[in-house]
Amino acid sequence: TIMEPAIRALYSKRTNRPADAPAEAITWHLKHSRMFVSMDAITEDPLKPGPGYAEFKCVNRFVMRQFKQEGIRRSYILQMQSGLACSGFGWGSFGILSLDPWEFSWFDVEADQELQVMVASKVNEFWDILQHGSLPTRLENDHDPRCFRCPYRVTCRGSEFSSAPAAEEGQGAVI
């Protein structure tokens, strides 16, 4: 979070695209009121239709090398598709900064309707289980060391999301 403004500026400089902070902290899905995203930036490319959702990551050199060898983490791919579903944008862009060697990479992805439907289904399933007083089954680890300490992947920003207004209350950004 601290590095996002710096990565946003670096992304703009390297890609020649604007990378503006979104007007609202949280963007809610139009049809799935339990789905939301905190976008890092909104970007544009004259060769692509409409705006794009930009997601920035700051990783160490070991993670950057892992991304190059194995591809980006599954959790990041699902985060991007969830953000695209919530924003309604047709494309997104990752900007990844590794501070150790000061290496910056970016790449674009297209919206994947099949993945978005799967994410929405899992989000609704998760919240339905919680609403009925049960705890969901533990998720498989996705290389994030924080997951070893958190049985349900409540991130360090979980309280920020849980206190955000719901879309049906007429607040939050709905695009």
Side-chain angles (χ1 to χ4, degrees):
T1 303
I2 292 170
M3 291 300 297
E4 280 178 15
I7 299 171
R8 186 180 306 120
L10 185 59
Y11 176 88
S12 287
K13 183 176 181 178
R14 296 276 176 94
T15 64
N16 276 337
R17 297 175 178 166
D20 301 316
E24 299 286 336
I26 303 293
T27 300
W28 297 91
H29 194 285
L30 280 173
K31 296 179 182 172
H32 302 282
S33 61
R34 296 169 172 168
M35 256 179 91
F36 51 87
V37 64
S38 173
M39 291 193 286
D40 292 343
I42 297 172
T43 188
E44 292 184 24
D45 184 320
L47 302 176
K48 298 184 183 295
Y53 157 45
E55 180 61 39
F56 303 129
K57 302 295 180 192
C58 187
V59 301
N60 63 41
R61 65 177 165 222
F62 304 110
V63 172
M64 183 66 102
R65 184 175 8 169
Q66 183 183 39
F67 284 174
K68 289 177 179 180
Q69 292 172 349
E70 301 171 20
I72 195 161
R73 292 180 178 166
R74 181 176 41 175
S75 58
Y76 292 168
I77 292 167
L78 295 175
Q79 177 186 13
M80 174 63 76
Q81 291 301 324
S82 179
L84 290 171
C86 292
S87 66
F89 297 164
W91 66 282
S93 188
F94 280 102
I96 302 170
L97 173 64
S98 179
L99 290 174
D100 315 39
W102 194 256
E103 180 179 357
F104 184 76
S105 296
W106 74 91
F107 61 95
D108 296 343
V109 296
E110 300 298 319
D112 182 325
Q113 297 299 318
E114 195 174 304
L115 267 179
Q116 292 177 14
V117 167
M118 187 270 306
V119 168
S121 169
K122 293 296 183 183
V123 165
N124 287 325
E125 181 182 316
F126 175 84
W127 285 108
D128 286 343
I129 290 170
L130 284 181
Q131 206 167 22
H132 291 95
S134 301
L135 292 177
T137 55
R138 186 179 173 131
L139 295 175
E140 178 185 327
N141 177 41
D142 194 23
H143 304 294
D144 189 331
R146 293 174 297 179
C147 294
F148 290 110
R149 295 186 304 272
C150 179
Y152 302 107
R153 292 199 179 194
V154 177
T155 69
C156 58
R157 298 183 68 189
S159 61
E160 180 180 333
F161 292 141
S162 65
S163 65
E168 60 267 13
E169 294 172 5
Q171 299 179 352
V174 179
I175 297 174

